[in-house]
Amino acid sequence: MLPVLLVTRDDGVRDAVARLAALAGAPVQMQSPGAAARAAWKSAGLVVLGPDVVAVPGVPRRDGVVVVTEQSPDEALWHRAVAVGAQQLLTLPEGESRLLELLVAAAEPAHSRGAVVGIVGGCGGAGASTLAAGLALTAARTGAVILIDADPLGGGLDVLLGAEHRPGARWADLAGTSGRLSAAALLDALPQVDGVALLSWDRGDVIELPAEAASSVVDAASRAVPTVVVDLPRALDPAAEVCAADCDEVLLVVPTTVRSSAAAVRVARRLRAVATVTGLVICDAGSPRLAPDDVGTALGLPVRAVLRRDRDVAIAARQGRPPIGRSRGTLHDCCRSLLTELATAGRVAA
């Protein structure tokens, strides 16, 4: 299918649509009104008409037609837009954001949304970031994955994965994003680590990430890959709230101590205000400790997995390597078990 058909003789509109289409990754066939435009009319995902196009004779009415102009539309142009069956009339540059959304949508084939899994620590040092990274690395062995670091005050998932110097986009590069973001463009822009596309923070000053940017990125990520893993902070700012709300599953990571469980109760209460917390991952804190079922009872949540201590993870952290390098170890087994359960429930790809 042809993504975009542009029909106009207006050079200004041609240049503006071509520029936005390049940003959206949407191939455009440019035609003047006539036989060639009629031939591509039905097959185009989106039809963009310039203000000079009164009508395209011999074509049926269809959805996905928009009229674009660089001048304030007069009554005559509104009538022509209605006559040609346009659903929208956009004035540039004010309407660029909306036109970009339409171009991005036209460039992407329709497919089901990927699963978004959130991981949050019930207390400091619970190991939530390690679990999030482990889940992403394990899932990457069977399909594409995006790992999102939603904690601006954390140590950085890029550091955890030994990827702080790899080129690619960070949150600072995407803070101005709004509307529908190209899924393919996002995936191409992110640094890759062992099959995982990673979005983390840079080493500069902490930025206040707009909630709209976070929403656009998570939406694009879910359209780009079958599985998205989000490492959520315990203290939710507006951007993190959006990320949490967009998760299909949110797992709370809690060590088996009384203080950890008490802290996790407060975190879970705050988290439930914006997201659905679906279960616990219990981390063995050594002795003395609570039984995993007792932690689950205290929080009123099912225990989805128990993560035993894994000395290989500590060694990898000291050496600046990702926490999972091979298909073995307690972290790998825990992540594999969680992914199998999520796949059985239809949350992630098997």
Side-chain angles (χ1 to χ4, degrees):
M1 182 183 77
L2 170 68
V4 181
L5 170 65
L6 171 61
V7 185
T8 187
R9 296 187 182 92
D10 187 305
D11 291 336
V13 169
R14 279 180 180 248
D15 292 344
V17 173
R19 173 175 55 82
L20 293 173
L23 291 175
V28 178
Q29 182 181 116
M30 299 186 185
Q31 298 290 349
S32 296
R38 289 195 296 271
W41 182 265
K42 288 185 179 180
S43 63
L46 176 70
V47 175
V48 181
L49 303 178
D52 56 313
V53 180
V54 178
V56 180
V59 297
R61 281 184 172 265
R62 50 156 291 168
D63 293 331
V65 177
V66 58
V67 173
V68 174
T69 178
E70 292 186 303
Q71 305 295 327
S72 296
D74 55 20
E75 186 175 351
L77 182 56
W78 280 105
H79 285 306
R80 294 202 302 273
V82 171
V84 82
Q87 282 80 50
Q88 297 184 60
L89 195 162
L90 302 177
T91 304
L92 303 182
E94 294 85 354
E96 284 193 357
S97 177
R98 177 55 183 157
L99 181 56
L100 183 58
E101 290 182 14
L102 294 172
L103 292 167
V104 168
E108 295 178 352
H111 58 75
S112 59
R113 177 181 183 269
V116 183
V117 182
I119 307 294
V120 59
C123 63
S129 294
T130 298
L131 178 63
L135 272 177
L137 289 163
T138 304
R141 290 169 180 162
T142 57
V145 178
I146 292 178
L147 174 60
I148 297 176
D149 185 352
D151 186 357
L153 300 180
L157 287 182
D158 56 343
V159 176
L160 178 62
L161 295 178
E164 62 267 36
H165 299 301
R166 297 201 182 186
R170 266 60 174 183
W171 272 119
D173 302 305
L174 299 170
T177 303
S178 62
R180 189 177 174 96
L181 176 65
S182 168
L186 175 67
L187 191 59
D188 288 343
L190 299 179
Q192 300 280 328
V193 184
D194 293 345
V196 174
L198 171 65
L199 176 57
S200 190
W201 306 84
D202 59 25
R203 306 276 78 82
D205 294 337
V206 176
I207 64 170
E208 184 175 343
L209 183 68
E212 186 176 8
S215 178
S216 293
V217 167
V218 174
D219 172 68
S222 70
R223 288 183 278 111
V225 296
T227 306
V228 180
V229 181
V230 185
D231 184 20
L232 295 164
R234 298 192 310 281
L236 300 176
D237 59 16
E241 286 187 356
V242 167
C243 291
D246 284 345
C247 289
D248 303 299
E249 297 263 351
V250 176
L251 300 176
L252 192 62
V253 183
V254 187
T256 54
T257 68
V258 173
R259 289 190 65 198
S260 298
S261 297
V265 168
R266 297 174 65 86
V267 173
R269 184 181 302 126
R270 175 69 181 88
L271 196 57
R272 282 177 168 135
V274 296
T276 301
V277 185
T278 54
L280 304 176
V281 176
I282 304 299
C283 294
D284 189 349
S287 183
R289 63 184 180 85
L290 300 173
D293 287 344
D294 291 339
V295 178
T297 299
L299 275 86
L301 289 166
V303 176
R304 302 284 286 276
V306 177
L307 178 58
R308 306 297 179 187
R309 289 187 176 182
D310 190 332
R311 64 184 300 270
D312 289 341
V313 172
I315 293 172
R318 288 197 297 270
Q319 296 177 347
R321 295 186 288 107
I324 290 181
R326 291 179 287 180
S327 300
R328 66 170 194 172
T330 58
L331 178 58
H332 170 271
D333 293 344
C334 176
C335 293
R336 186 71 264 165
S337 174
L338 284 170
L339 290 169
T340 299
E341 181 183 346
L342 292 171
T344 302
R347 295 293 196 187
V348 301

